[in-house]
Amino acid sequence: MVEEFRLGKSHTKNSARKITVPCTSGVEFGTYHHMRLAKVGPASINAEVKVLRMILKSARLWSRFADHYRPLKEDRSGPGRALSPDEQKRLFETAMADEHGSVAYFAGIVSANTTMRGCELKRLKLANVNLSEKTVAVHRSATKTNGGVRLIPLNTSAVWAFAKLLERAKVLGATDPEHFLFPFFSFRKHTKVDGSSAGSGFDPTRHQTDWKTGWRNLLERAGLSGIRFHDLRHHCITRLAEAGVADQTLMAIAGHVSKAMLDHYSHVRLQARRDAVAALETTQASAAVVVADNGEGPAETVN
């Protein structure tokens, strides 16, 4: 119901009044915040509650909770950070050196070469990846925005990582085009009378929910720390901006980018141009020596 309302498929008061509202005070909101913080950030949680608020307002029920709810504080410090050349080298050399590494290894390579968010990767289906055309299609249902289908071209590194992920998915039982590229692992295990077990394994009709352990292990093996998986998206966008990619092209690849983020990447582009000009100036200046005016004539340039 919340997703239908967000996408504009449910607007009537009657449909809104069908919702059973479990929250009765700020305590329930606090519990919900704590539960969701284990999976997503404050900004995502606040966005979810905004949708709920829209529904409750439509049903004239929000007033019951308005005095009890306080949005979570969001990090406004910036879009994240790009990896340094050394961090990039160590992280991806470690990832590409182990063909049997964690799923986080391959997911990280894809994100750093496509701008894809973790949530978008986890919800990818086999049909979304086209290695022959070297593209991946991100549908609206797999992302946090209403931007429609986003077709992202794949470079050599991304093609390599996706090929590994497709091989892995096939081994785990993902064979139908509608199966998820990252099958969900079921921890349920039932022991039969004869001592054998059943009910454990992977379910390709559901998607993986996180790869925190794999990501942490990758950072440890690379000798790195303090890098979030989401930083890989910012790393990729920063590289595109430094290469002079225009806003329209950047947004076509990266999807939704806020005005504040566009301003940030505009500064990245400007700084890249300044660095290029500074390097040129240094090269030219080193090739000439200017002799100061000694009072007897104009200054002389010696090449």
Side-chain angles (χ1 to χ4, degrees), residues 14 29 39-40 46 86 91 112 131 135 140-141 240 249 285 301:
N14 289 335
F29 277 116
K39 297 182 178 181
V40 298
N46 289 340
D86 178 64
L91 183 67
L131 292 185
T135 59
R140 181 165 61 186
S141 59
L240 291 173
T249 303
T301 300

Side-chain angles (χ1 to χ4, degrees), residues 191-257:
T191 303
K192 296 181 178 180
V193 178
D194 61 2
S196 62
S197 61
S200 61
F202 289 85
D203 180 1
T205 64
R206 302 166 61 192
H207 64 78
Q208 186 172 346
T209 56
D210 70 73
W211 42 60
K212 291 179 180 178
T213 300
W215 179 247
R216 184 169 57 250
N217 291 339
L218 173 58
L219 291 181
E220 290 178 355
R221 291 191 60 179
L224 300 170
S225 62
I227 300 175
R228 305 172 304 162
F229 186 88
H230 195 64
D231 287 334
L232 298 180
R233 167 175 164 83
H234 301 302
H235 176 72
C236 186
I237 297 176
T238 297
R239 289 167 60 200
L240 291 173
E242 288 175 339
V245 173
D247 285 349
Q248 186 175 3
T249 303
L250 191 152
M251 293 176 68
I253 297 173
H256 173 73
V257 180

Side-chain angles (χ1 to χ4, degrees), residues 104-159:
Y105 288 35
F106 308 122
I109 292 172
V110 171
S111 180
N113 287 278
T114 63
T115 77
M116 290 183 67
R117 304 174 179 89
C119 62
E120 294 170 343
L121 283 166
K122 293 166 191 170
R123 294 171 185 170
L124 277 181
K125 296 183 178 180
L126 302 187
N128 300 140
V129 182
N130 189 330
L131 292 185
S132 61
E133 296 292 333
K134 296 184 179 180
T135 59
V136 58
V138 182
H139 291 266
R140 181 165 61 186
S141 59
T143 187
K144 65 179 185 179
T145 67
N146 288 332
V149 180
R150 192 164 103 242
L151 193 65
I152 305 175
L154 305 178
N155 61 17
T156 302
S157 296
V159 168

Side-chain angles (χ1 to χ4, degrees), residues 10 52 63 81 112 137 147 161 171-172 192 234 259 271 283 285 289 295 299:
S10 176
L52 177 60
S63 59
R81 71 179 185 90
V171 170
L172 300 182
K192 296 181 178 180
H234 301 302
K259 179 61 167 59
Q271 185 59 47
T283 302
V289 178

Side-chain angles (χ1 to χ4, degrees), residues 158-202:
V159 168
W160 179 86
F162 267 127
K164 294 297 180 183
L165 288 169
L166 287 169
E167 290 176 7
R168 173 183 179 272
K170 183 178 180 180
V171 170
L172 300 182
T175 56
D176 188 276
E178 289 301 306
H179 282 168
F180 286 101
L181 181 64
F182 298 88
F184 177 81
F185 179 69
S186 173
F187 293 92
R188 292 173 300 178
K189 192 171 184 179
H190 307 290
T191 303
K192 296 181 178 180
V193 178
D194 61 2
S196 62
S197 61
S200 61
F202 289 85

